[in-house]
Amino acid sequence: MANSTEPQKPQNTKKNKKKGATLDTFYGAKIQNREQTEDNIKENAPKPSKGNGNSPQTYEEFESEMTKKMEAFWEEKLEIMQKKFTHLQNQFDQTVKENQALKARIRQLEDNDRVKEQESIKQSQNTKKLEENIKYLTDKVIDLENRGRRDNFRIIGLPEKPEINTKLDMVIQDIIKENCPEILEQGGNTATDRAHRTPSTLNPQKTTPRNVIAKFQSYQTKEKILQEARKRQFRYKGMPIRVTQDLASSTLNDRKAWNMIFRKARELGLQPRISYPAKLTIYFQGKVWAFNKIEDFQLFAKKRPELCGKFDTENQRARNT
């Protein structure tokens, strides 16, 4: 029928919702949803039965019971969370204490390290001073030993025979007569206080004879003999021998280190000489040059075109080996 009125269906708010919805519309929808939720709770709540008097619960009782259950649930959760928080708080406090202890330990170690560093610096300074003192005393002892040997000379290459070893004083006089008789003619005092082989015991594995050291009563006579020995080759009954100044073993080793350079300098006509204690002197370009160390001489030779490459001691040692 045309006049019959049909109930109008509620419009779908979601479909009618527009982008430009106002705040009133938004909050109105919120209020409506809330009311619908409350209505649903009321509908689902247990209702008293009409037939008997054992109706379970009213809505208020149900709501009160649910509230108590929720409160009990959240109290239990809160208690658990509180225990966890207390445990975490204890762990944090323990960590803070350990951190403070570690910081104190680190500060103590840093202080100890600074103290040890200062002690190490002092120890290094003391060690340096001791090394300087030892070097000074060592040089002093070597110098005193060399001066104590100033009346001695050393004979190298004298044959190792019993008849020679038992009469070294007489053998030395024979060497003087054979090589520099003018000293005897001039009335020089050639007497010796003592003469001996060095080392005192013979090494059977060593093929070369031991050196002979002779101490003269006259320093001047000893110097004259050494001057003649520098001029020519000395001999004993026709066998070549060498006569040099007797010095401390360390000084002799320092002088021996110049041997290769000394021989090459002699070949080049540089007039080399080894002066006391172990200094090399050469005559080059009208000047006398002196060197205390081999390194100083090598640096000098590298800067001179006439000498560069002629005193390479390392290559010479390699060729000899």
PDB file of all heavy atoms in Angstrom, residues 146-173:
ATOM      1  N   ASN A 146     148.306  -0.403  29.520  1.00  0.00           N
ATOM      2  CA  ASN A 146     149.202  -0.069  28.407  1.00  0.00           C
ATOM      3  C   ASN A 146     150.432   0.688  28.886  1.00  0.00           C
ATOM      4  O   ASN A 146     151.552   0.451  28.404  1.00  0.00           O
ATOM      5  CB  ASN A 146     148.453   0.758  27.366  1.00  0.00           C
ATOM      6  CG  ASN A 146     147.449  -0.070  26.581  1.00  0.00           C
ATOM      7  OD1 ASN A 146     147.648  -1.263  26.378  1.00  0.00           O
ATOM      8  ND2 ASN A 146     146.369   0.553  26.145  1.00  0.00           N
ATOM      9  N   ARG A 147     150.209   1.582  29.826  1.00  0.00           N
ATOM     10  CA  ARG A 147     151.365   2.341  30.349  1.00  0.00           C
ATOM     11  C   ARG A 147     152.286   1.432  31.156  1.00  0.00           C
ATOM     12  O   ARG A 147     153.501   1.651  31.203  1.00  0.00           O
ATOM     13  CB  ARG A 147     150.879   3.510  31.200  1.00  0.00           C
ATOM     14  CG  ARG A 147     150.154   4.566  30.384  1.00  0.00           C
ATOM     15  CD  ARG A 147     149.733   5.755  31.232  1.00  0.00           C
ATOM     16  NE  ARG A 147     148.979   6.698  30.448  1.00  0.00           N
ATOM     17  CZ  ARG A 147     149.501   7.636  29.641  1.00  0.00           C
ATOM     18  NH1 ARG A 147     150.827   7.722  29.531  1.00  0.00           N
ATOM     19  NH2 ARG A 147     148.739   8.456  28.958  1.00  0.00           N
ATOM     20  N   GLY A 148     151.697   0.427  31.834  1.00  0.00           N
ATOM     21  CA  GLY A 148     152.539  -0.514  32.558  1.00  0.00           C
ATOM     22  C   GLY A 148     153.358  -1.395  31.626  1.00  0.00           C
ATOM     23  O   GLY A 148     154.347  -1.995  32.054  1.00  0.00           O
ATOM     24  N   ARG A 149     152.985  -1.468  30.336  1.00  0.00           N
ATOM     25  CA  ARG A 149     153.706  -2.273  29.357  1.00  0.00           C
ATOM     26  C   ARG A 149     154.611  -1.403  28.463  1.00  0.00           C
ATOM     27  O   ARG A 149     155.102  -1.893  27.442  1.00  0.00           O
ATOM     28  CB  ARG A 149     152.704  -3.019  28.461  1.00  0.00           C
ATOM     29  CG  ARG A 149     151.850  -4.038  29.196  1.00  0.00           C
ATOM     30  CD  ARG A 149     150.731  -4.548  28.289  1.00  0.00           C
ATOM     31  NE  ARG A 149     149.894  -5.529  28.951  1.00  0.00           N
ATOM     32  CZ  ARG A 149     149.989  -6.856  28.785  1.00  0.00           C
ATOM     33  NH1 ARG A 149     150.905  -7.353  27.970  1.00  0.00           N
ATOM     34  NH2 ARG A 149     149.196  -7.678  29.433  1.00  0.00           N
ATOM     35  N   ARG A 150     154.829  -0.188  28.835  1.00  0.00           N
ATOM     36  CA  ARG A 150     155.583   0.731  27.963  1.00  0.00           C
ATOM     37  C   ARG A 150     157.044   0.311  27.762  1.00  0.00           C
ATOM     38  O   ARG A 150     157.679   0.699  26.783  1.00  0.00           O
ATOM     39  CB  ARG A 150     155.526   2.156  28.515  1.00  0.00           C
ATOM     40  CG  ARG A 150     156.192   2.340  29.859  1.00  0.00           C
ATOM     41  CD  ARG A 150     155.822   3.669  30.499  1.00  0.00           C
ATOM     42  NE  ARG A 150     156.187   4.786  29.662  1.00  0.00           N
ATOM     43  CZ  ARG A 150     157.328   5.467  29.727  1.00  0.00           C
ATOM     44  NH1 ARG A 150     158.252   5.079  30.607  1.00  0.00           N
ATOM     45  NH2 ARG A 150     157.569   6.475  28.948  1.00  0.00           N
ATOM     46  N   ASP A 151     157.583  -0.493  28.677  1.00  0.00           N
ATOM     47  CA  ASP A 151     158.961  -0.975  28.526  1.00  0.00           C
ATOM     48  C   ASP A 151     159.037  -2.322  27.802  1.00  0.00           C
ATOM     49  O   ASP A 151     160.125  -2.881  27.657  1.00  0.00           O
ATOM     50  CB  ASP A 151     159.634  -1.117  29.902  1.00  0.00           C
ATOM     51  CG  ASP A 151     159.775   0.218  30.613  1.00  0.00           C
ATOM     52  OD1 ASP A 151     159.830   1.255  29.911  1.00  0.00           O
ATOM     53  OD2 ASP A 151     159.801   0.231  31.859  1.00  0.00           O
ATOM     54  N   ASN A 152     157.896  -2.834  27.357  1.00  0.00           N
ATOM     55  CA  ASN A 152     157.859  -4.168  26.736  1.00  0.00           C
ATOM     56  C   ASN A 152     157.789  -4.061  25.213  1.00  0.00           C
ATOM     57  O   ASN A 152     157.296  -3.070  24.664  1.00  0.00           O
ATOM     58  CB  ASN A 152     156.637  -4.958  27.210  1.00  0.00           C
ATOM     59  CG  ASN A 152     156.611  -5.139  28.717  1.00  0.00           C
ATOM     60  OD1 ASN A 152     157.550  -4.770  29.421  1.00  0.00           O
ATOM     61  ND2 ASN A 152     155.537  -5.697  29.212  1.00  0.00           N
ATOM     62  N   PHE A 153     158.279  -5.103  24.550  1.00  0.00           N
ATOM     63  CA  PHE A 153     157.887  -5.299  23.155  1.00  0.00           C
ATOM     64  C   PHE A 153     157.514  -6.761  22.952  1.00  0.00           C
ATOM     65  O   PHE A 153     157.827  -7.627  23.758  1.00  0.00           O
ATOM     66  CB  PHE A 153     158.927  -4.787  22.153  1.00  0.00           C
ATOM     67  CG  PHE A 153     160.202  -5.574  22.063  1.00  0.00           C
ATOM     68  CD1 PHE A 153     160.258  -6.958  22.126  1.00  0.00           C
ATOM     69  CD2 PHE A 153     161.408  -4.903  21.850  1.00  0.00           C
ATOM     70  CE1 PHE A 153     161.442  -7.654  22.002  1.00  0.00           C
ATOM     71  CE2 PHE A 153     162.595  -5.599  21.726  1.00  0.00           C
ATOM     72  CZ  PHE A 153     162.607  -6.976  21.812  1.00  0.00           C
ATOM     73  N   ARG A 154     156.806  -6.996  21.851  1.00  0.00           N
ATOM     74  CA  ARG A 154     156.240  -8.309  21.563  1.00  0.00           C
ATOM     75  C   ARG A 154     156.881  -8.850  20.285  1.00  0.00           C
ATOM     76  O   ARG A 154     156.943  -8.145  19.272  1.00  0.00           O
ATOM     77  CB  ARG A 154     154.724  -8.203  21.408  1.00  0.00           C
ATOM     78  CG  ARG A 154     154.001  -9.521  21.185  1.00  0.00           C
ATOM     79  CD  ARG A 154     152.504  -9.250  21.020  1.00  0.00           C
ATOM     80  NE  ARG A 154     151.912  -8.768  22.240  1.00  0.00           N
ATOM     81  CZ  ARG A 154     151.176  -9.496  23.073  1.00  0.00           C
ATOM     82  NH1 ARG A 154     150.964 -10.792  22.797  1.00  0.00           N
ATOM     83  NH2 ARG A 154     150.671  -8.983  24.168  1.00  0.00           N
ATOM     84  N   ILE A 155     157.363 -10.103  20.344  1.00  0.00           N
ATOM     85  CA  ILE A 155     157.957 -10.770  19.185  1.00  0.00           C
ATOM     86  C   ILE A 155     156.944 -11.786  18.653  1.00  0.00           C
ATOM     87  O   ILE A 155     156.484 -12.658  19.392  1.00  0.00           O
ATOM     88  CB  ILE A 155     159.274 -11.472  19.544  1.00  0.00           C
ATOM     89  CG1 ILE A 155     160.256 -10.475  20.188  1.00  0.00           C
ATOM     90  CG2 ILE A 155     159.903 -12.115  18.329  1.00  0.00           C
ATOM     91  CD1 ILE A 155     161.516 -11.126  20.728  1.00  0.00           C
ATOM     92  N   ILE A 156     156.593 -11.644  17.383  1.00  0.00           N
ATOM     93  CA  ILE A 156     155.593 -12.509  16.751  1.00  0.00           C
ATOM     94  C   ILE A 156     156.281 -13.380  15.707  1.00  0.00           C
ATOM     95  O   ILE A 156     157.050 -12.882  14.874  1.00  0.00           O
ATOM     96  CB  ILE A 156     154.485 -11.667  16.087  1.00  0.00           C
ATOM     97  CG1 ILE A 156     153.826 -10.745  17.137  1.00  0.00           C
ATOM     98  CG2 ILE A 156     153.439 -12.557  15.428  1.00  0.00           C
ATOM     99  CD1 ILE A 156     152.877  -9.735  16.559  1.00  0.00           C
ATOM    100  N   GLY A 157     156.027 -14.677  15.755  1.00  0.00           N
ATOM    101  CA  GLY A 157     156.567 -15.594  14.757  1.00  0.00           C
ATOM    102  C   GLY A 157     157.832 -16.309  15.166  1.00  0.00           C
ATOM    103  O   GLY A 157     158.420 -17.036  14.349  1.00  0.00           O
ATOM    104  N   LEU A 158     158.297 -16.147  16.399  1.00  0.00           N
ATOM    105  CA  LEU A 158     159.489 -16.844  16.864  1.00  0.00           C
ATOM    106  C   LEU A 158     159.152 -18.329  17.050  1.00  0.00           C
ATOM    107  O   LEU A 158     158.178 -18.661  17.729  1.00  0.00           O
ATOM    108  CB  LEU A 158     159.971 -16.252  18.185  1.00  0.00           C
ATOM    109  CG  LEU A 158     161.363 -16.689  18.662  1.00  0.00           C
ATOM    110  CD1 LEU A 158     162.443 -16.198  17.678  1.00  0.00           C
ATOM    111  CD2 LEU A 158     161.645 -16.136  20.053  1.00  0.00           C
ATOM    112  N   PRO A 159     159.907 -19.243  16.442  1.00  0.00           N
ATOM    113  CA  PRO A 159     159.553 -20.672  16.461  1.00  0.00           C
ATOM    114  C   PRO A 159     159.379 -21.214  17.865  1.00  0.00           C
ATOM    115  O   PRO A 159     160.034 -20.785  18.821  1.00  0.00           O
ATOM    116  CB  PRO A 159     160.728 -21.339  15.744  1.00  0.00           C
ATOM    117  CG  PRO A 159     161.309 -20.262  14.895  1.00  0.00           C
ATOM    118  CD  PRO A 159     161.129 -18.994  15.650  1.00  0.00           C
ATOM    119  N   GLU A 160     158.479 -22.155  17.982  1.00  0.00           N
ATOM    120  CA  GLU A 160     158.135 -22.791  19.258  1.00  0.00           C
ATOM    121  C   GLU A 160     159.030 -24.030  19.419  1.00  0.00           C
ATOM    122  O   GLU A 160     158.673 -25.142  19.028  1.00  0.00           O
ATOM    123  CB  GLU A 160     156.657 -23.160  19.210  1.00  0.00           C
ATOM    124  CG  GLU A 160     155.974 -23.517  20.494  1.00  0.00           C
ATOM    125  CD  GLU A 160     155.739 -22.418  21.485  1.00  0.00           C
ATOM    126  OE1 GLU A 160     155.048 -21.422  21.207  1.00  0.00           O
ATOM    127  OE2 GLU A 160     156.262 -22.593  22.594  1.00  0.00           O
ATOM    128  N   LYS A 161     160.257 -23.817  20.004  1.00  0.00           N
ATOM    129  CA  LYS A 161     161.209 -24.915  20.196  1.00  0.00           C
ATOM    130  C   LYS A 161     161.697 -24.905  21.631  1.00  0.00           C
ATOM    131  O   LYS A 161     161.851 -23.830  22.241  1.00  0.00           O
ATOM    132  CB  LYS A 161     162.402 -24.775  19.248  1.00  0.00           C
ATOM    133  CG  LYS A 161     162.030 -24.910  17.773  1.00  0.00           C
ATOM    134  CD  LYS A 161     163.255 -24.764  16.898  1.00  0.00           C
ATOM    135  CE  LYS A 161     162.897 -24.876  15.414  1.00  0.00           C
ATOM    136  NZ  LYS A 161     164.112 -24.744  14.566  1.00  0.00           N
ATOM    137  N   PRO A 162     161.987 -26.064  22.208  1.00  0.00           N
ATOM    138  CA  PRO A 162     162.454 -26.107  23.606  1.00  0.00           C
ATOM    139  C   PRO A 162     163.740 -25.333  23.816  1.00  0.00           C
ATOM    140  O   PRO A 162     163.901 -24.658  24.845  1.00  0.00           O
ATOM    141  CB  PRO A 162     162.645 -27.604  23.874  1.00  0.00           C
ATOM    142  CG  PRO A 162     161.769 -28.288  22.886  1.00  0.00           C
ATOM    143  CD  PRO A 162     161.761 -27.422  21.673  1.00  0.00           C
ATOM    144  N   GLU A 163     164.709 -25.434  22.874  1.00  0.00           N
ATOM    145  CA  GLU A 163     165.976 -24.728  23.049  1.00  0.00           C
ATOM    146  C   GLU A 163     165.805 -23.217  23.003  1.00  0.00           C
ATOM    147  O   GLU A 163     166.633 -22.476  23.542  1.00  0.00           O
ATOM    148  CB  GLU A 163     166.995 -25.181  21.989  1.00  0.00           C
ATOM    149  CG  GLU A 163     166.584 -24.948  20.548  1.00  0.00           C
ATOM    150  CD  GLU A 163     165.804 -26.098  19.959  1.00  0.00           C
ATOM    151  OE1 GLU A 163     165.279 -26.918  20.751  1.00  0.00           O
ATOM    152  OE2 GLU A 163     165.711 -26.189  18.712  1.00  0.00           O
ATOM    153  N   ILE A 164     164.733 -22.749  22.360  1.00  0.00           N
ATOM    154  CA  ILE A 164     164.460 -21.310  22.335  1.00  0.00           C
ATOM    155  C   ILE A 164     163.710 -20.891  23.590  1.00  0.00           C
ATOM    156  O   ILE A 164     164.026 -19.862  24.212  1.00  0.00           O
ATOM    157  CB  ILE A 164     163.669 -20.944  21.065  1.00  0.00           C
ATOM    158  CG1 ILE A 164     164.521 -21.184  19.820  1.00  0.00           C
ATOM    159  CG2 ILE A 164     163.197 -19.500  21.117  1.00  0.00           C
ATOM    160  CD1 ILE A 164     163.788 -20.911  18.515  1.00  0.00           C
ATOM    161  N   ASN A 165     162.719 -21.669  23.986  1.00  0.00           N
ATOM    162  CA  ASN A 165     161.891 -21.310  25.142  1.00  0.00           C
ATOM    163  C   ASN A 165     162.679 -21.262  26.442  1.00  0.00           C
ATOM    164  O   ASN A 165     162.362 -20.478  27.339  1.00  0.00           O
ATOM    165  CB  ASN A 165     160.721 -22.298  25.272  1.00  0.00           C
ATOM    166  CG  ASN A 165     159.749 -22.196  24.105  1.00  0.00           C
ATOM    167  OD1 ASN A 165     159.724 -21.186  23.395  1.00  0.00           O
ATOM    168  ND2 ASN A 165     158.949 -23.240  23.905  1.00  0.00           N
ATOM    169  N   THR A 166     163.716 -22.089  26.554  1.00  0.00           N
ATOM    170  CA  THR A 166     164.495 -22.116  27.796  1.00  0.00           C
ATOM    171  C   THR A 166     165.553 -21.018  27.856  1.00  0.00           C
ATOM    172  O   THR A 166     166.108 -20.744  28.926  1.00  0.00           O
ATOM    173  CB  THR A 166     165.194 -23.479  27.947  1.00  0.00           C
ATOM    174  OG1 THR A 166     165.985 -23.743  26.783  1.00  0.00           O
ATOM    175  CG2 THR A 166     164.146 -24.579  28.131  1.00  0.00           C
ATOM    176  N   LYS A 167     165.824 -20.361  26.735  1.00  0.00           N
ATOM    177  CA  LYS A 167     166.860 -19.325  26.697  1.00  0.00           C
ATOM    178  C   LYS A 167     166.354 -18.089  25.963  1.00  0.00           C
ATOM    179  O   LYS A 167     166.984 -17.552  25.054  1.00  0.00           O
ATOM    180  CB  LYS A 167     168.112 -19.851  26.000  1.00  0.00           C
ATOM    181  CG  LYS A 167     168.727 -21.071  26.678  1.00  0.00           C
ATOM    182  CD  LYS A 167     169.933 -21.567  25.919  1.00  0.00           C
ATOM    183  CE  LYS A 167     170.557 -22.785  26.583  1.00  0.00           C
ATOM    184  NZ  LYS A 167     171.737 -23.287  25.828  1.00  0.00           N
ATOM    185  N   LEU A 168     165.176 -17.591  26.354  1.00  0.00           N
ATOM    186  CA  LEU A 168     164.570 -16.463  25.649  1.00  0.00           C
ATOM    187  C   LEU A 168     165.417 -15.196  25.798  1.00  0.00           C
ATOM    188  O   LEU A 168     165.517 -14.392  24.854  1.00  0.00           O
ATOM    189  CB  LEU A 168     163.154 -16.221  26.185  1.00  0.00           C
ATOM    190  CG  LEU A 168     162.079 -17.242  25.744  1.00  0.00           C
ATOM    191  CD1 LEU A 168     160.754 -16.941  26.428  1.00  0.00           C
ATOM    192  CD2 LEU A 168     161.914 -17.211  24.227  1.00  0.00           C
ATOM    193  N   ASP A 169     166.044 -14.970  26.956  1.00  0.00           N
ATOM    194  CA  ASP A 169     166.872 -13.771  27.139  1.00  0.00           C
ATOM    195  C   ASP A 169     168.032 -13.752  26.138  1.00  0.00           C
ATOM    196  O   ASP A 169     168.307 -12.709  25.519  1.00  0.00           O
ATOM    197  CB  ASP A 169     167.417 -13.711  28.578  1.00  0.00           C
ATOM    198  CG  ASP A 169     166.303 -13.492  29.598  1.00  0.00           C
ATOM    199  OD1 ASP A 169     165.256 -12.925  29.198  1.00  0.00           O
ATOM    200  OD2 ASP A 169     166.460 -13.882  30.755  1.00  0.00           O
ATOM    201  N   MET A 170     168.682 -14.862  25.980  1.00  0.00           N
ATOM    202  CA  MET A 170     169.796 -14.939  25.037  1.00  0.00           C
ATOM    203  C   MET A 170     169.301 -14.829  23.593  1.00  0.00           C
ATOM    204  O   MET A 170     169.959 -14.210  22.739  1.00  0.00           O
ATOM    205  CB  MET A 170     170.544 -16.267  25.230  1.00  0.00           C
ATOM    206  CG  MET A 170     171.195 -16.412  26.617  1.00  0.00           C
ATOM    207  SD  MET A 170     172.013 -18.009  26.849  1.00  0.00           S
ATOM    208  CE  MET A 170     173.216 -17.969  25.532  1.00  0.00           C
ATOM    209  N   VAL A 171     168.130 -15.379  23.294  1.00  0.00           N
ATOM    210  CA  VAL A 171     167.572 -15.289  21.938  1.00  0.00           C
ATOM    211  C   VAL A 171     167.291 -13.833  21.587  1.00  0.00           C
ATOM    212  O   VAL A 171     167.553 -13.377  20.460  1.00  0.00           O
ATOM    213  CB  VAL A 171     166.293 -16.149  21.829  1.00  0.00           C
ATOM    214  CG1 VAL A 171     165.565 -15.879  20.520  1.00  0.00           C
ATOM    215  CG2 VAL A 171     166.643 -17.628  21.948  1.00  0.00           C
ATOM    216  N   ILE A 172     166.789 -13.067  22.533  1.00  0.00           N
ATOM    217  CA  ILE A 172     166.492 -11.647  22.282  1.00  0.00           C
ATOM    218  C   ILE A 172     167.787 -10.887  21.990  1.00  0.00           C
ATOM    219  O   ILE A 172     167.840 -10.015  21.100  1.00  0.00           O
ATOM    220  CB  ILE A 172     165.740 -11.054  23.495  1.00  0.00           C
ATOM    221  CG1 ILE A 172     164.324 -11.659  23.571  1.00  0.00           C
ATOM    222  CG2 ILE A 172     165.651  -9.537  23.384  1.00  0.00           C
ATOM    223  CD1 ILE A 172     163.588 -11.329  24.834  1.00  0.00           C
ATOM    224  N   GLN A 173     168.853 -11.188  22.711  1.00  0.00           N
ATOM    225  CA  GLN A 173     170.144 -10.534  22.436  1.00  0.00           C
ATOM    226  C   GLN A 173     170.633 -10.902  21.035  1.00  0.00           C
ATOM    227  O   GLN A 173     171.181 -10.047  20.316  1.00  0.00           O
ATOM    228  CB  GLN A 173     171.167 -10.947  23.493  1.00  0.00           C
ATOM    229  CG  GLN A 173     170.808 -10.521  24.912  1.00  0.00           C
ATOM    230  CD  GLN A 173     170.702  -9.012  25.074  1.00  0.00           C
ATOM    231  OE1 GLN A 173     171.479  -8.243  24.452  1.00  0.00           O
ATOM    232  NE2 GLN A 173     169.742  -8.576  25.874  1.00  0.00           N
TER     233      GLN A 173
END
